[in-house]
Amino acid sequence: MVNKDRLYRALDLVLEHKAELEAHLSKRSGELFAIDNEVLLYDVTSTYFEGEAEGNALAQRGYSRDHRGDCKQVCIALVVTFDGFPLGYEVFAGNTHDSKTVQTIVDAMEARHGVVGRVWIADRGMASADNLAWLRQTGRRYIIGTPKAQLRAFAAELATAKGWRAIRDGIEVKLARWPGTGETAILCRSADRRSKEQAMHDKFSRRIEAALARLGRRIDSSTKRLDAAQVNRQIGRILQQNQRSAARFAIALQAADCPAGFRLEVEHSTAFDEWAALSEGVYLLRSNIEDWSDEQLWKAYIQLTQAEAAFRIQKDELRVRPIWHQRADRVQAHILVCFLAFVL
């Protein structure tokens, strides 16, 4: 008779064959469907526990993609092919930063599937200086997203019209050299993203202006001296709650002959507006691939949506979340079964 307990015990037997199952499924799928696993897309997600999971060292609190910071979790690093076929995964402690998973997952996948010609594609969470140096030194090829703050190094390229090429409706790309390393920098400008970022800047600017106007009226109508330190903390909270547009405002408390002892002075930063005009809608990639066109590089990176789609399927349709198991081995086996279900 098949019951729940027998099925749980079967999980214990499946787990020890994880690496062999991944390798077999990859090989067999390649034979049946001509799947190309030379370009690999890599992303990390998290899945949370119900219960304390006290016996599982990997169950830790960390950044939750499920918006369940109140629960312990594990992180799952998933690798899919360019066409979205899941190739393999590894499980990490729930408090592991994305960048700390790169070397482990690259070594594990290459040990199972080989190294020749492989290109790794990942988002900006993996783009630490140590990871990039390691990938270059070991001869791996990659396309990786970068934090938007690094766009500042390419202000001249953004401001120059020369070199931009339209590769899709609403998408322009420009290639440049990464300072210090000689990598290829891929500047990508999206009309849709520009509209979205402009709208967000405008929304947060309006919120700041409304909050500062209320604060200014309260200061002006005060009949007693106010504590400047307390008012500055209020200003700090306003800016913190609207960080995307906080740098647009230069705010000061100017001494004045009034009951409050000061007035609120607000100016707009022209530097913020000038940079926003250049950078809104732009994102930055970096790569050490020399023989691909700008369109090939952009198109390969955009395929990361395949990995994101794989996570959505595993979480929502295959119910990898939440995890009810408390034993560490059963947790690993639960994730493996969800992975196998997705592959099949």
Side-chain angles (χ1 to χ4, degrees), residues 98-250:
D98 290 2
S99 64
K100 299 297 184 182
T101 68
V102 172
Q103 297 186 26
T104 299
I105 200 78
V106 170
D107 284 339
M109 292 301 108
E110 291 185 348
R112 292 170 207 164
H113 307 289
V115 180
V116 178
R118 187 133 298 146
V119 175
W120 288 91
I121 301 175
D123 70 10
R124 64 181 180 270
M126 288 70 160
S128 72
D130 287 345
N131 284 336
L132 293 171
W134 178 76
L135 289 168
R136 287 194 298 272
Q137 291 164 7
T138 55
R140 274 91 171 189
R141 302 203 298 170
Y142 57 83
I143 306 169
I144 293 185
T146 64
K148 188 152 187 172
Q150 294 187 2
L151 269 176
R152 293 277 182 180
F154 298 92
E157 285 81 0
L158 291 175
T160 305
K162 183 179 178 181
W164 289 97
R165 191 170 81 90
I167 58 172
R168 291 284 190 281
D169 186 24
I171 299 290
E172 293 180 297
V173 172
K174 183 178 187 177
L175 301 184
R177 284 293 163 195
W178 201 276
T181 66
E183 297 163 280
T184 299
I186 306 108
L187 298 162
C188 310
R189 189 157 58 193
S190 163
D192 288 343
R193 184 176 291 208
R194 182 179 181 85
S195 297
K196 179 181 177 181
E197 291 181 2
Q198 283 179 334
M200 292 181 71
H201 282 149
D202 290 345
K203 178 180 74 173
F204 288 116
S205 292
R206 288 194 298 271
R207 287 181 180 178
I208 292 172
E209 288 168 347
L212 291 177
R214 290 193 297 271
L215 180 60
R217 288 193 295 271
R218 186 169 68 82
I219 293 171
D220 292 342
S221 63
S222 177
T223 58
K224 61 180 181 179
R225 193 167 192 84
L226 297 178
D227 182 352
Q230 184 179 25
V231 174
N232 274 319
R233 286 194 294 271
Q234 291 176 313
I235 294 170
R237 284 194 293 272
I238 292 169
L239 297 179
Q240 185 178 25
Q241 291 165 0
N242 302 278
Q243 289 183 18
R244 285 182 178 270
S245 295
R248 178 173 267 165
F249 298 86

Side-chain angles (χ1 to χ4, degrees), residues 21-39:
L21 284 167
E22 286 183 13
H24 170 75
L25 288 169
S26 174
K27 179 176 181 294
R28 189 69 180 131
S29 298
E31 293 169 350
L32 292 172
F33 307 113
I35 291 173
D36 179 7
N37 63 4
E38 291 308 303
V39 177

